[in-house]
């Protein structure tokens, strides 16, 4: 259980460092999740969950329940006609106080939270991401270290294929891996 709390705290720290409040905002459009390493099956399940929740998802992949570091970060990004699964993201900080961004290691794009609390895809990404990545990881670890050692009461496990979160959708959403 100790490592699951660690994973929770890392994701909460990422959430806060990206500028998402600790409370549920008026425009509650982003979910924060963690779990197994990303693959096609996990991506499809996350796309289903994003569609069911009506939220984009920031997802932290962990090799197993005992892992100390994430294997990677991904975004499940709802478009008008598709749900994009964007893998290979790393946290990035411009300085000690700016909200963190998630920068792609594969494409010229990054993700951040705008003034409305919406996850936005932005171009171009910073040219050199090494120093900003180290600073972001340091900020995340420092924030997580200040958190308690208990699971949040509203932290929940969503079993594979769970329909309790599903809302009526007239047709299937197209899922695009990018």
């Amino acid at each position: 259980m100790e490592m699951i709390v660690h994973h929770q705290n890392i994701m909460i720290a990422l959430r806060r460092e990206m500028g998402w409040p600790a409370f549920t905002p008026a425009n509650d459009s982003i979910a924060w999740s963690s779990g197994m390493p990303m693959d096609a099956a996990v991506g499809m399940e996350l796309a289903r969950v994003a569609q069911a929740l009506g939220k984009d998802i920031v997802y932290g992949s962990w090799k197993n329940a005992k892992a100390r570091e994430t294997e990677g970060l991904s975004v499940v990004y709802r478009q008008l006609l598709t749900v994009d699964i964007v893998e290979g993201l790393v946290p990035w900080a411009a300085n000690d106080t700016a909200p963190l961004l998630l920068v792609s290691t594969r494409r010229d794009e990054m993700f951040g939270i705008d003034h409305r609390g919406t996850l936005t895809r932005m171009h171009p990404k910073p040219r050199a991401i090494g120093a900003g990545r180290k600073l972001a990881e340091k900020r995340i670890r420092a924030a997580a270290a200040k958190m308690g050692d208990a699971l949040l009461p509203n932290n929940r496990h969503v079993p594979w294929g769970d329909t309790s979160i599903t809302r009526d959708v007239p047709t299937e959403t197209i899922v695009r891996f990018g």
Side-chain angles (χ1 to χ4, degrees):
M1 184 68 116
E2 174 186 327
M3 289 314 297
I4 299 298
V5 172
H6 173 72
H7 297 177
Q8 167 195 268
N9 291 351
I10 291 292
M11 293 306 294
I12 292 171
L14 173 63
R15 167 185 166 149
R16 289 182 182 166
E17 292 297 315
M18 287 184 73
W20 195 257
F23 55 87
T24 302
N27 186 15
D28 187 18
S29 63
I30 306 171
W32 305 82
S33 181
S34 64
M36 300 181 291
M38 181 62 77
D39 62 16
V42 171
M44 291 298 291
E45 180 66 5
L46 285 169
R48 185 192 70 77
V49 170
Q51 184 179 6
L53 292 175
K55 298 180 181 188
D56 296 326
I57 300 173
V58 175
Y59 182 76
S61 298
W62 301 84
K63 185 175 183 175
N64 56 49
K66 295 180 180 180
R68 295 278 320 153
E69 301 293 328
T70 63
E71 278 208 337
L73 295 170
S74 304
V75 164
V76 182
Y77 193 72
R78 297 168 303 125
Q79 302 269 39
L80 182 61
L81 301 175
T82 65
V83 176
D84 292 352
I85 308 297
V86 184
E87 305 174 69
L89 302 175
V90 295
W92 183 84
N95 56 49
D96 288 331
T97 58
L100 299 187
L101 300 172
L102 297 178
V103 177
S104 176
T105 59
R106 300 175 184 164
R107 302 171 80 172
D108 188 23
E109 64 184 354
M110 60 188 174
F111 294 84
I113 299 172
D114 69 12
H115 68 282
R116 292 187 61 236
T118 304
L119 190 65
T120 58
R121 181 180 250 161
M122 300 171 280
H123 308 273
K125 69 180 185 182
R127 291 181 190 235
I129 63 173
R133 179 181 182 177
K134 286 180 184 175
L135 177 57
E137 289 170 349
K138 178 182 171 186
R139 285 175 51 186
I140 292 166
R141 281 191 301 275
K146 295 177 185 174
M147 295 180 194
D149 59 356
L151 284 174
L152 294 176
N154 61 349
N155 187 339
R156 70 179 188 178
H157 171 73
V158 178
W160 202 271
D162 182 17
T163 58
S164 68
I165 59 171
T166 304
R167 59 188 170 101
D168 291 332
V169 179
T171 59
E172 290 293 319
T173 299
I174 299 165
V175 179
R176 180 175 64 188
F177 290 84

